[in-house]
Amino acid sequence: WKIVQTPGAIIMLFDELLHYRQIFTDGRGFPDDAIPTWFGYSVGKWDSDVLVVETIGFNEQTWLDDGGHPHSEALRVTERFRRLNAGTLDIDITINDPKAYTKPWTATVRFERVSEGDFGEHVCPIGSVS
């Protein structure tokens, strides 16, 4: 995935899923009527050199991870993005979902930069046409 930063938003592009995520950094709050989506509605702000992102508005059609851990529409995620050096990014992820878990919990995920990771076009085979 790639991260694109603009003055009012951060966009995360996911290559293998052909999806994107928006993190609004223009000072807005959450909408009163957010429609539940796969990636939720995210707002972020800088706390020194750490990007703190709050996300709400998830639908129940996804899992938290590849292991299939569930969540409800009450899920609230707090992420703290911290760049350790030019090639390493740590994200502390706090899961708060009182309908699915008895208390909030946090995990830290480390990402290493892959400089030759250009996105390529995906070709979807259609099959034979008669």
Side-chain angles (χ1 to χ4, degrees):
W1 42 279
K2 289 189 178 191
I3 299 173
V4 179
Q5 184 175 351
T6 71
I10 294 171
I11 311 301
M12 300 177 83
L13 304 170
F14 302 101
D15 185 33
E16 70 236 11
L17 299 175
L18 300 175
H19 288 12
Y20 67 92
R21 176 183 175 199
Q22 298 181 91
I23 302 169
F24 296 103
T25 56
D26 58 3
R28 73 179 69 187
F30 293 117
D32 292 333
D33 57 350
I35 298 170
T37 64
W38 287 20
F39 292 110
Y41 191 94
S42 300
V43 295
K45 63 182 178 182
W46 289 96
D47 180 7
S48 187
D49 62 347
V50 176
L51 175 64
V52 179
V53 178
E54 298 281 338
T55 306
I56 64 168
F58 294 95
N59 63 35
E60 294 181 351
Q61 299 174 3
T62 62
W63 295 327
L64 291 178
D65 57 17
D66 290 338
H69 290 91
H71 67 82
S72 74
E73 287 188 0
L75 173 64
R76 183 181 190 110
V77 176
T78 303
E79 298 161 291
R80 298 179 64 82
F81 293 79
R82 186 174 51 256
R83 191 170 182 177
L84 302 180
N85 56 48
T88 309
L89 178 71
D90 273 0
I91 307 174
D92 297 327
I93 305 166
T94 300
I95 303 298
N96 187 358
D97 187 342
K99 292 184 178 180
Y101 301 98
T102 57
K103 63 182 181 177
W105 53 275
T106 300
T108 300
V109 181
R110 176 164 288 169
F111 294 94
E112 300 291 333
R113 182 176 179 195
V114 178
S115 58
E116 64 274 351
D118 289 338
F119 280 14
E121 182 178 358
H122 288 269
V123 178
C124 181
I126 297 174
S128 60
V129 177
S130 43

